[in-house]
Amino acid sequence: MSDSFPRAGFVKRLLVIVYDLLAVIALLMLTTVANFIVISLLEGNGLIKLDGYVDHSAFLNNQWWFQAELVLVTWFFYTWFWYDGGQTLGMRAWRLKIQSTNGKPLTLKRTAIRALFALGGLGNILVLFTPKNKLSLQDKISNTEVVLLTKEANKRVYLRGVEDPNQTH
């Protein structure tokens, strides 16, 4: 367990999931709009035909690659945010951070494994059954933990790399 910060409980994790869900929905909407544009351009240039489909949406919803794209975009959202600072947008708002349990830096591979085994947030249910160590399925598999930061520590995490305008060079 982290020496400096306590591990986050189930309720905080659930609140983060709801917050992040809003960001993920917006990202998936942008992905869908980009696909609509590409499909419209391809159809307009005669490169594809939408015969048998009512509209572009019906066409996209019946394409396996589009469904896979939406899953990959969601997976990459979590993987990248966890890798690049240990926080998603919701985690920043609720002052949670993912860190390694063995002191090693988070790698892209480790965060990708974590995102895979989060099972859409269901992996957090394990926290309810392990109240002493508060580790989820994805925590155990990826050797990570979710900690609750102080306000000051949270600011340091998401402002890292931002220069202080009051500092002289």
Side-chain angles (χ1 to χ4, degrees):
M1 184 185 276
S2 172
D3 292 332
S4 54
F5 301 109
R7 288 185 179 154
F10 180 76
V11 173
K12 283 267 189 178
R13 289 171 185 247
L14 188 61
L15 292 169
V16 167
I17 290 170
V18 171
Y19 194 107
D20 282 340
L21 186 60
L22 298 173
V24 168
I25 288 170
L27 184 59
L28 295 179
M29 289 172 68
L30 287 172
T31 303
T32 301
V33 167
N35 277 280
F36 280 151
I37 291 169
V38 170
I39 295 301
S40 294
L41 289 172
L42 291 173
E43 182 192 27
N45 289 317
L47 297 172
I48 62 169
K49 293 188 182 275
L50 300 183
D51 296 339
Y53 296 102
V54 178
D55 55 20
H56 295 94
S57 178
F59 174 79
L60 276 178
N61 285 328
N62 283 300
Q63 305 304 311
W64 69 267
W65 54 264
F66 178 64
Q67 305 302 319
E69 180 183 7
L70 295 178
V71 169
L72 286 173
V73 165
T74 302
W75 180 62
F76 188 72
F77 170 86
Y78 287 101
T79 298
W80 181 256
F81 272 100
W82 289 338
Y83 171 71
D84 187 40
Q87 293 181 306
T88 60
L89 301 172
M91 293 175 88
R92 286 181 185 164
W94 288 98
R95 298 188 344 248
L96 301 184
K97 181 182 182 231
I98 293 173
Q99 62 186 24
S100 171
T101 55
N102 60 11
K104 295 182 180 178
L106 292 176
T107 62
L108 199 53
K109 180 181 177 182
R110 183 183 290 195
T111 58
I113 289 169
R114 181 184 166 76
L116 180 66
F117 286 98
L119 305 174
L122 291 176
N124 288 304
I125 292 174
L126 190 57
V127 174
L128 292 172
F129 299 104
T130 58
K132 288 186 180 181
N133 69 17
K134 296 181 183 176
L135 290 174
S136 65
L137 176 65
Q138 60 270 25
D139 291 332
K140 288 181 180 224
I141 291 173
S142 64
N143 292 321
T144 58
E145 63 184 350
V146 179
V147 294
L148 178 60
L149 301 174
T150 62
K151 287 182 183 180
E152 296 77 27
N154 195 43
K155 281 183 184 178
R156 282 194 304 272
V157 170
Y158 70 81
L159 293 179
R160 69 177 163 70
V162 177
E163 240 180 84
D164 185 357
N166 298 323
Q167 209 173 32
T168 57
H169 298 282

